[in-house]
Amino acid sequence: MTSLDKPTEEAGQARTDDARAVTEAVLFEAFGGVRGMVETVVPGLLFVAIFTVNKDLHLSAIAALAVSLVLVVVRLAMKDTVKHAFSGVFGVAFGVVFAMFTGNAKDFYLPGMLYTLGLALAYIVTTLAGVPLIGLILGPVFKENLSWRARNPGRKKAYAKASWAWGLILLAKCAILFPLYWWSDTTKLGWVLVALKIPPFLLAVWLTWVFLAKAPAPIDVFAEMEAEEKAAEEAKAAAESAGRHRREP
């Protein structure tokens, strides 16, 4: 290696490290980060903990819904994004309605399980259709929108791999939970579900990071649009200036 090669390699490595850091930050932001994971786990954990102690469906359901609402209020008070907290409230609310309607405490978990199954199928079907769901989710976050579909094939391939990972991991989770829903009691199902909240999610996020960190950089379509608008304004200004010069005697 010559002295000229070393700075070039170091600059390339620096760009790679920067890209990985940006990818990591974007993933945590898009999927809620540590706080989002906590907000996902706490309502279900409270439900199963109370139900394990006293077998009171109403008290367990009301406590889970109440803590979800408290998490939203805290987010609002801190002027923080509430999309993850609100999604948690809706998920808990559907679970409470199902459980109250049927009188079966296990049905508190059924809407979330069905959502997980539907999401797993969505990841797989969209990938087979050539528009992997993870790309649709993260494209706007990376400011590339759908440019990866036609203009960045390496990135499209990474999104496809990540979507397969999410789909298969969620299907594996469903393969564990649904038999427990049918054949196990509420407490066992609840504790297993709480235990499976974070690890599969972290595995899927980590695999997404691995695939995207090795992929080509995203095409910033917003920057391209701004550049095109600026160029159009400059061309218009130049044309007006030329027109004034021609009219001058």
Side-chain angles (χ1 to χ4, degrees), residues 78-95:
M78 298 179 65
K79 298 181 179 179
D80 201 353
T81 177
V82 296
K83 62 179 180 179
H84 299 290
F86 266 129
S87 64
V89 168
F90 287 126
V92 173
F94 277 117

mmCIF file of all heavy atoms in Angstrom, residues 78-95:
data_model
loop_
_atom_site.group_PDB
_atom_site.id
_atom_site.type_symbol
_atom_site.label_atom_id
_atom_site.label_comp_id
_atom_site.label_asym_id
_atom_site.label_seq_id
_atom_site.Cartn_x
_atom_site.Cartn_y
_atom_site.Cartn_z
ATOM 1 N N MET A 78 -44.122 15.677 27.672
ATOM 2 C CA MET A 78 -42.725 15.901 27.301
ATOM 3 C C MET A 78 -42.591 16.401 25.869
ATOM 4 O O MET A 78 -41.481 16.586 25.370
ATOM 5 C CB MET A 78 -41.919 14.609 27.485
ATOM 6 C CG MET A 78 -41.878 14.105 28.916
ATOM 7 S SD MET A 78 -40.943 12.557 29.092
ATOM 8 C CE MET A 78 -39.292 13.120 28.644
ATOM 9 N N LYS A 79 -43.757 16.593 25.183
ATOM 10 C CA LYS A 79 -43.784 17.050 23.790
ATOM 11 C C LYS A 79 -42.955 16.134 22.894
ATOM 12 O O LYS A 79 -42.231 16.572 22.002
ATOM 13 C CB LYS A 79 -43.284 18.496 23.686
ATOM 14 C CG LYS A 79 -44.154 19.488 24.443
ATOM 15 C CD LYS A 79 -43.657 20.911 24.300
ATOM 16 C CE LYS A 79 -44.557 21.885 25.050
ATOM 17 N NZ LYS A 79 -44.090 23.285 24.940
ATOM 18 N N ASP A 80 -43.101 14.847 23.148
ATOM 19 C CA ASP A 80 -42.367 13.839 22.389
ATOM 20 C C ASP A 80 -43.325 13.188 21.395
ATOM 21 O O ASP A 80 -44.546 13.355 21.473
ATOM 22 C CB ASP A 80 -41.806 12.780 23.348
ATOM 23 C CG ASP A 80 -40.648 12.007 22.733
ATOM 24 O OD1 ASP A 80 -40.381 12.215 21.529
ATOM 25 O OD2 ASP A 80 -40.023 11.216 23.447
ATOM 26 N N THR A 81 -42.769 12.450 20.421
ATOM 27 C CA THR A 81 -43.614 11.760 19.459
ATOM 28 C C THR A 81 -44.460 10.716 20.162
ATOM 29 O O THR A 81 -43.988 10.013 21.059
ATOM 30 C CB THR A 81 -42.756 11.089 18.366
ATOM 31 O OG1 THR A 81 -43.627 10.364 17.484
ATOM 32 C CG2 THR A 81 -41.759 10.112 18.955
ATOM 33 N N VAL A 82 -45.726 10.622 19.769
ATOM 34 C CA VAL A 82 -46.656 9.735 20.470
ATOM 35 C C VAL A 82 -47.141 8.577 19.602
ATOM 36 O O VAL A 82 -48.000 7.810 20.030
ATOM 37 C CB VAL A 82 -47.883 10.527 20.974
ATOM 38 C CG1 VAL A 82 -47.471 11.548 22.005
ATOM 39 C CG2 VAL A 82 -48.624 11.189 19.818
ATOM 40 N N LYS A 83 -46.583 8.422 18.416
ATOM 41 C CA LYS A 83 -47.125 7.403 17.515
ATOM 42 C C LYS A 83 -46.984 6.006 18.095
ATOM 43 O O LYS A 83 -47.899 5.173 17.974
ATOM 44 C CB LYS A 83 -46.472 7.496 16.134
ATOM 45 C CG LYS A 83 -44.967 7.252 16.115
ATOM 46 C CD LYS A 83 -44.413 7.353 14.692
ATOM 47 C CE LYS A 83 -42.917 7.122 14.657
ATOM 48 N NZ LYS A 83 -42.383 7.206 13.282
ATOM 49 N N HIS A 84 -45.840 5.707 18.741
ATOM 50 C CA HIS A 84 -45.655 4.373 19.305
ATOM 51 C C HIS A 84 -46.540 4.171 20.528
ATOM 52 O O HIS A 84 -47.118 3.097 20.720
ATOM 53 C CB HIS A 84 -44.186 4.161 19.665
ATOM 54 C CG HIS A 84 -43.260 4.247 18.488
ATOM 55 N ND1 HIS A 84 -43.232 3.291 17.502
ATOM 56 C CD2 HIS A 84 -42.344 5.189 18.124
ATOM 57 C CE1 HIS A 84 -42.338 3.629 16.585
ATOM 58 N NE2 HIS A 84 -41.796 4.779 16.937
ATOM 59 N N ALA A 85 -46.652 5.211 21.361
ATOM 60 C CA ALA A 85 -47.510 5.103 22.541
ATOM 61 C C ALA A 85 -48.977 4.958 22.134
ATOM 62 O O ALA A 85 -49.716 4.160 22.724
ATOM 63 C CB ALA A 85 -47.316 6.327 23.430
ATOM 64 N N PHE A 86 -49.418 5.711 21.108
ATOM 65 C CA PHE A 86 -50.797 5.603 20.655
ATOM 66 C C PHE A 86 -51.078 4.226 20.063
ATOM 67 O O PHE A 86 -52.161 3.662 20.272
ATOM 68 C CB PHE A 86 -51.094 6.683 19.612
ATOM 69 C CG PHE A 86 -51.689 7.932 20.187
ATOM 70 C CD1 PHE A 86 -51.151 9.177 19.896
ATOM 71 C CD2 PHE A 86 -52.793 7.870 21.017
ATOM 72 C CE1 PHE A 86 -51.692 10.327 20.432
ATOM 73 C CE2 PHE A 86 -53.344 9.019 21.561
ATOM 74 C CZ PHE A 86 -52.794 10.254 21.263
ATOM 75 N N SER A 87 -50.139 3.684 19.318
ATOM 76 C CA SER A 87 -50.328 2.344 18.768
ATOM 77 C C SER A 87 -50.462 1.329 19.893
ATOM 78 O O SER A 87 -51.245 0.375 19.803
ATOM 79 C CB SER A 87 -49.165 1.973 17.846
ATOM 80 O OG SER A 87 -47.946 1.892 18.563
ATOM 81 N N GLY A 88 -49.722 1.554 20.993
ATOM 82 C CA GLY A 88 -49.848 0.670 22.146
ATOM 83 C C GLY A 88 -51.217 0.769 22.788
ATOM 84 O O GLY A 88 -51.815 -0.240 23.173
ATOM 85 N N VAL A 89 -51.747 1.994 22.888
ATOM 86 C CA VAL A 89 -53.085 2.188 23.466
ATOM 87 C C VAL A 89 -54.138 1.471 22.635
ATOM 88 O O VAL A 89 -55.010 0.768 23.164
ATOM 89 C CB VAL A 89 -53.419 3.691 23.563
ATOM 90 C CG1 VAL A 89 -54.903 3.887 23.880
ATOM 91 C CG2 VAL A 89 -52.576 4.347 24.633
ATOM 92 N N PHE A 90 -54.073 1.635 21.308
ATOM 93 C CA PHE A 90 -55.056 0.984 20.444
ATOM 94 C C PHE A 90 -54.958 -0.539 20.552
ATOM 95 O O PHE A 90 -55.979 -1.240 20.592
ATOM 96 C CB PHE A 90 -54.870 1.424 18.990
ATOM 97 C CG PHE A 90 -55.321 2.835 18.730
ATOM 98 C CD1 PHE A 90 -54.481 3.764 18.143
ATOM 99 C CD2 PHE A 90 -56.592 3.237 19.092
ATOM 100 C CE1 PHE A 90 -54.897 5.064 17.913
ATOM 101 C CE2 PHE A 90 -57.030 4.543 18.864
ATOM 102 C CZ PHE A 90 -56.175 5.455 18.274
ATOM 103 N N GLY A 91 -53.722 -1.059 20.593
ATOM 104 C CA GLY A 91 -53.547 -2.494 20.724
ATOM 105 C C GLY A 91 -54.127 -3.021 22.024
ATOM 106 O O GLY A 91 -54.841 -4.039 22.043
ATOM 107 N N VAL A 92 -53.847 -2.330 23.130
ATOM 108 C CA VAL A 92 -54.384 -2.738 24.433
ATOM 109 C C VAL A 92 -55.902 -2.596 24.441
ATOM 110 O O VAL A 92 -56.614 -3.464 24.973
ATOM 111 C CB VAL A 92 -53.746 -1.901 25.562
ATOM 112 C CG1 VAL A 92 -54.427 -2.188 26.898
ATOM 113 C CG2 VAL A 92 -52.259 -2.214 25.670
ATOM 114 N N ALA A 93 -56.418 -1.517 23.860
ATOM 115 C CA ALA A 93 -57.870 -1.297 23.851
ATOM 116 C C ALA A 93 -58.585 -2.423 23.105
ATOM 117 O O ALA A 93 -59.619 -2.926 23.567
ATOM 118 C CB ALA A 93 -58.183 0.049 23.200
ATOM 119 N N PHE A 94 -58.065 -2.817 21.952
ATOM 120 C CA PHE A 94 -58.662 -3.936 21.218
ATOM 121 C C PHE A 94 -58.621 -5.215 22.051
ATOM 122 O O PHE A 94 -59.587 -5.991 22.072
ATOM 123 C CB PHE A 94 -57.932 -4.157 19.895
ATOM 124 C CG PHE A 94 -58.404 -3.264 18.787
ATOM 125 C CD1 PHE A 94 -57.543 -2.345 18.206
ATOM 126 C CD2 PHE A 94 -59.704 -3.335 18.319
ATOM 127 C CE1 PHE A 94 -57.980 -1.508 17.183
ATOM 128 C CE2 PHE A 94 -60.158 -2.508 17.299
ATOM 129 C CZ PHE A 94 -59.288 -1.592 16.732
ATOM 130 N N GLY A 95 -57.495 -5.442 22.729
ATOM 131 C CA GLY A 95 -57.387 -6.622 23.578
ATOM 132 C C GLY A 95 -58.402 -6.603 24.702
ATOM 133 O O GLY A 95 -59.026 -7.628 25.013
#
